[in-house]
Amino acid sequence: MRTLKSLFTPIAVSIAIILAQPSASAKPPEHKAQISLRHFLKQVDLTDSQRQDVRLLMQQNRATKNTYQPDQESIREAVRNLIQTDEWHEADISSALEAELHLQAQLMWLNIQTQHQIWLTLNEAQKAQILTELNITSEDAYSENALGEDAHNELKQQNEERRQAKREMHQEQRQKKLIAALNLTDAQQALLVSQHAAEKADREAHKPVQQTLKAEFIGLVTAENLNESDWIALQAQTQTSRFEHAFTRAKNQYTFWNSLSSEQQHTLQEIITKQQREQKRRPRFGRKDES
C-alpha cells in the first residue's frame, strides 16, 4: 500500500448506506471541521492566471487521489466482508479499520497541501476577503463591528440548521423506503432507530469539538508555511476517538446485519450492489468543474 501522507460524513441513517459504506469512511463527527476553499473562491475576483493555476492544482490533486482508488476499494471490501459475517473477529476488524483510517489521513493530507497551494496563489486582498468569509477574527482580515459579527454568525447558524434539517429529512425518506424494501420487523426497526438516535446524540455532543478543529484546519491551510508536524499533531488529537467511532459503527453494522434474515440480507446486498454501480459512474474524488 502507498505510503504518502494525508476527513472523514456522519453515519448514514439508511440501511444500505450503513452497510454499503465502510465504518471508518463514515466521517466521525469531530472530523466534519475540514474546510474547502472552492466555495469561497467563487466569491473572489480571480485573475485568469489564478483560475488556471487553481484548476491545474485541483486536476493534479484528483489525479493523485485517483491512484489510491484500488487501495480504497480493497480496504472497503475487506471491512464490509468482516461486517457481513456471523462471527465477530475483533482483531481482524481492528486491523482493517486502522488501515482505512490511515488511508483517509493520507488523502486528507493531500487535500490540505492542495488547498494551501491554492491559498498561496491569492493576493493579500483576496486572502483577507476569504478570511472574513471564514469568520476569522484578526486585526488585518476582519473589520465588522460586534453587531455585524453577531448577525453574521446568527445567519450562518440558521443556514446550517436548515441544511441539517434537509439532510435529516432525506435520510428519513431513504430509511422508510429501505424499511419497506426489507420488510423489517418491529424489533429490527427498533434496533435501527436506537442506532440512529445514538449517532445523532454523538454528533450533538461533538459540536464544540468541531468548532475547535475547524479553526485549526483553517490555520493549517491559511498559514504562510505549511508545517507537516502541525498536521501530525492535529491527527494525534483525534486518533483514538476516530478509531473508537469507526469500531463502534462497525459493531453496529455487524449487529444489524445479523438481525436480518437470509432473505433480507440478500435483498440488502442487491441494494448495496446497485449503489456501488451508481457510485462508480460518478466522479470519486471531486468534480471536473472544480476551479
Side-chain angles (χ1 to χ4, degrees):
M1 187 172 295
R2 299 166 181 79
T3 55
L4 264 175
K5 310 157 185 90
S6 156
L7 219 37
F8 314 101
T9 93
I11 305 171
V13 180
S14 75
I15 307 165
I17 293 180
I18 283 178
L19 288 163
Q21 295 180 351
S23 301
S25 65
K27 304 167 187 171
E30 66 268 25
H31 278 94
K32 291 167 57 183
Q34 69 166 316
I35 64 167
S36 172
L37 294 180
R38 187 168 65 88
H39 167 73
F40 300 101
L41 290 176
K42 294 178 180 178
Q43 305 173 43
V44 175
D45 186 17
L46 299 177
T47 66
D48 290 341
S49 176
Q50 287 176 319
R51 291 183 185 281
Q52 184 176 354
D53 290 342
V54 170
R55 187 176 295 110
L56 179 59
L57 287 168
M58 295 303 299
Q59 289 173 347
Q60 292 172 339
N61 176 271
R62 258 193 323 272
T64 302
K65 289 168 73 176
N66 282 341
T67 66
Y68 286 80
Q69 275 198 29
D71 289 342
Q72 188 180 51
E73 291 173 357
S74 176
I75 293 175
R76 284 181 172 178
E77 184 177 1
V79 173
R80 190 159 46 243
N81 289 339
L82 287 166
I83 288 170
Q84 296 180 359
T85 60
D86 56 6
E87 186 176 351
W88 180 250
H89 300 281
E90 186 165 322
D92 291 339
I93 195 69
S94 295
S95 178
L97 292 175
E98 287 173 353
E100 188 176 21
L101 288 170
H102 176 68
L103 180 57
Q104 288 176 348
Q106 292 176 313
L107 295 173
M108 186 54 202
W109 175 240
L110 289 174
N111 283 343
I112 290 174
Q113 289 175 305
T114 298
Q115 296 205 56
H116 181 255
Q117 289 174 310
I118 290 173
W119 177 256
L120 296 180
T121 68
L122 305 177
N123 61 40
E124 293 306 312
Q126 292 167 334
K127 290 178 180 178
Q129 183 178 347
I130 289 181
L131 285 173
T132 300
E133 291 295 326
L134 289 169
N135 204 23
I136 298 299
T137 303
S138 78
E139 200 171 65
D140 298 324
Y142 201 86
S143 59
E144 292 184 324
N145 58 37
L147 179 60
E149 180 180 350
D150 290 343
H152 179 67
N153 289 338
E154 183 177 354
L155 179 61
K156 286 178 65 177
Q157 179 64 27
Q158 290 173 351
N159 288 337
E160 176 57 32
E161 288 175 356
R162 281 195 291 268
R163 286 193 294 269
Q164 180 62 30
K166 188 175 182 179
R167 284 194 296 266
E168 291 187 359
M169 180 185 69
H170 289 163
Q171 289 173 346
E172 289 176 2
Q173 290 173 346
R174 290 195 299 268
Q175 182 179 1
K176 289 179 180 178
K177 290 180 180 179
L178 286 160
I179 287 175
L182 295 176
N183 193 24
L184 295 181
T185 66
D186 291 343
Q188 290 168 333
Q189 291 186 49
L191 174 60
L192 184 65
V193 169
S194 66
Q195 289 180 345
H196 179 203
E199 292 159 6
K200 185 174 182 179
D202 188 47
R203 291 195 298 272
E204 291 297 320
H206 281 85
K207 276 188 176 180
V209 182
Q210 292 175 25
Q211 295 303 315
T212 300
L213 287 176
K214 180 177 181 179
E216 295 190 44
F217 275 113
I218 291 173
L220 280 175
V221 171
T222 61
E224 188 64 28
N225 297 301
L226 182 59
N227 192 334
E228 185 179 347
S229 63
D230 292 337
W231 161 244
I232 294 174
L234 182 57
Q235 281 285 289
Q237 288 180 35
T238 58
Q239 182 175 353
T240 299
S241 61
R242 281 185 291 119
F243 176 80
E244 290 176 349
H245 177 90
F247 185 87
T248 299
R249 182 166 188 264
K251 191 64 179 288
N252 286 343
Q253 292 174 341
Y254 166 82
T255 301
F256 184 80
W257 176 261
N258 282 280
S259 76
L260 302 176
S261 67
S262 58
E263 182 179 354
Q264 288 172 322
Q265 290 176 349
H266 178 73
T267 301
L268 179 53
Q269 188 57 55
E270 288 181 338
I271 296 172
I272 292 171
T273 301
K274 181 180 179 181
Q275 285 188 339
Q276 290 171 335
R277 286 198 299 265
E278 292 174 349
Q279 289 170 358
K280 286 183 178 180
R281 288 195 291 266
R282 295 194 294 266
R284 176 63 62 86
F285 298 118
R287 291 164 36 180
K288 292 184 179 180
D289 62 348
E290 285 177 326
S291 58

